[in-house]
Amino acid sequence: MSPAIALSIQRRITALDIVCAVSVLLALISLPSTLLTAGCLSICLFVQGLAFRAYFKYVKDSVKMAKRVVFMIATFITVIILLLNS
């Protein structure tokens, strides 16, 4: 894969990670409203699915994949905790 394509893919994955982090923050802010919290967390899970697909399709480095898996597990645990609190 050419460096330009790899950089473009990495930028897209970073943007998806930022959207996921923002949606988790919005879920934390909207904890009093169960509907808004569920909506924010649904967006987070959808974006994580997109990032998961893009990352494992294009990135072949095992260390980066391990970091991605840890990040996804942490996000999933956060989602579960927020759903249990609301």
Side-chain angles (χ1 to χ4, degrees):
M1 182 181 327
S2 72
I5 293 173
L7 184 61
S8 173
I9 291 168
Q10 188 60 42
R11 284 183 187 156
R12 290 177 188 170
I13 291 171
T14 302
L16 290 172
D17 287 342
I18 290 170
V19 169
C20 183
V22 167
S23 67
V24 169
L25 287 175
L26 289 175
L28 285 171
I29 292 170
S30 65
L31 270 178
S33 172
T34 307
L35 186 61
L36 286 175
T37 303
C40 291
L41 294 177
S42 297
I43 291 170
C44 176
L45 290 175
F46 178 74
V47 170
Q48 274 299 105
L50 292 176
F52 177 81
R53 182 179 181 273
Y55 204 82
F56 286 107
K57 184 176 181 181
Y58 296 110
V59 178
K60 303 299 181 203
D61 185 15
S62 60
V63 174
K64 288 184 180 181
M65 281 192 206
K67 288 179 183 178
R68 168 58 52 184
V69 169
V70 169
F71 178 71
M72 288 171 47
I73 290 170
T75 303
F76 187 68
I77 290 170
T78 305
V79 167
I80 289 173
I81 290 170
L82 287 175
L83 284 175
L84 290 176
N85 285 335
S86 56

